[in-house]
Amino acid sequence: MHAKDILIDGYGRIQEEVHAALDGLGPDGLHFRPDPGANSIAWLVWHLTRVQDDHIADAFDLDQVWLSQDWQKRFGLDLPRHDTGFGHSPAKVAKVRVESADPLTGYYDAVHEQTLGALRGLAAKDLERVVDERWDPPVTLGVRLVSVLSDDLQHIGQAAYLRGLFQSAAA
């Protein structure tokens, strides 16, 4: 198995978990926050997708799906165009509202397709390419891809946990 195959499998698992976390949720579940300072399921999925979109596009010199496929307009959020949710206050978390899970799954699936396209073309030597010199040591493509994978898995795990809390509270 090649490194790119492991990465493709890992990112595929995120897609599965995104769909599982959102399946059947209406607005109450999507925006459930167990505490006013907590993130919602909608925000967590939007954020993990924005980060993946932003970081993959940057690493592979691609356009962000958020902008190139008009997801930013479809969501119509009262947030800056390039916002990824990093450092959001509870008030900004509350601005990420959708009427159904459809835009979240649609946007994630579009980002996932772009991610897979980028990963399929990888050669082992590509993983050593420096993609961010702002860090010490500079970040290679391999490190960035694993970092995004890790971040996404943490956020989708949080969304799954919130879904369980919401379902318990609603029962």
Side-chain angles (χ1 to χ4, degrees), residues 28-105:
D28 289 344
L30 292 167
H31 303 113
F32 171 74
R33 295 166 76 180
D35 179 86
N39 297 324
S40 68
I41 294 169
W43 184 89
L44 286 161
V45 172
W46 171 82
H47 170 64
L48 76 84
T49 308
R50 286 294 298 124
V51 169
Q52 183 176 334
D53 191 8
D54 176 77
H55 287 35
I56 297 296
D58 182 61
F60 288 92
D61 198 27
L62 301 167
D63 292 330
Q64 287 186 32
V65 171
W66 181 247
L67 302 171
S68 68
Q69 295 183 21
D70 290 329
W71 288 100
Q72 187 251 343
K73 289 180 184 172
R74 291 186 220 184
F75 273 74
L77 303 178
D78 182 23
L79 296 168
R81 272 173 60 92
H82 291 281
D83 197 335
T84 63
F86 183 75
H88 266 190
S89 66
K92 283 192 176 179
V93 168
K95 289 184 176 191
V96 178
R97 297 196 62 81
V98 292
E99 292 305 312
S100 76
D102 292 343
L104 293 165
T105 55

Side-chain angles (χ1 to χ4, degrees), residues 5 10 20 28 30 37 55 76-77 90 103 120-121 123 125 132 139 141 167 169:
D5 298 322
D28 289 344
L30 292 167
H55 287 35
L77 303 178
R120 286 184 187 117
K125 65 179 173 28
D132 192 343
V139 177
L141 179 60
Q167 289 173 326

Side-chain angles (χ1 to χ4, degrees), residues 86-133:
F86 183 75
H88 266 190
S89 66
K92 283 192 176 179
V93 168
K95 289 184 176 191
V96 178
R97 297 196 62 81
V98 292
E99 292 305 312
S100 76
D102 292 343
L104 293 165
T105 55
Y107 176 45
Y108 185 82
D109 289 347
V111 169
H112 181 70
E113 282 307 308
Q114 177 157 292
T115 300
L116 289 184
L119 294 176
R120 286 184 187 117
L122 277 180
K125 65 179 173 28
D126 296 331
L127 297 173
E128 297 172 21
R129 178 174 55 88
V130 172
V131 296
D132 192 343
E133 295 185 1

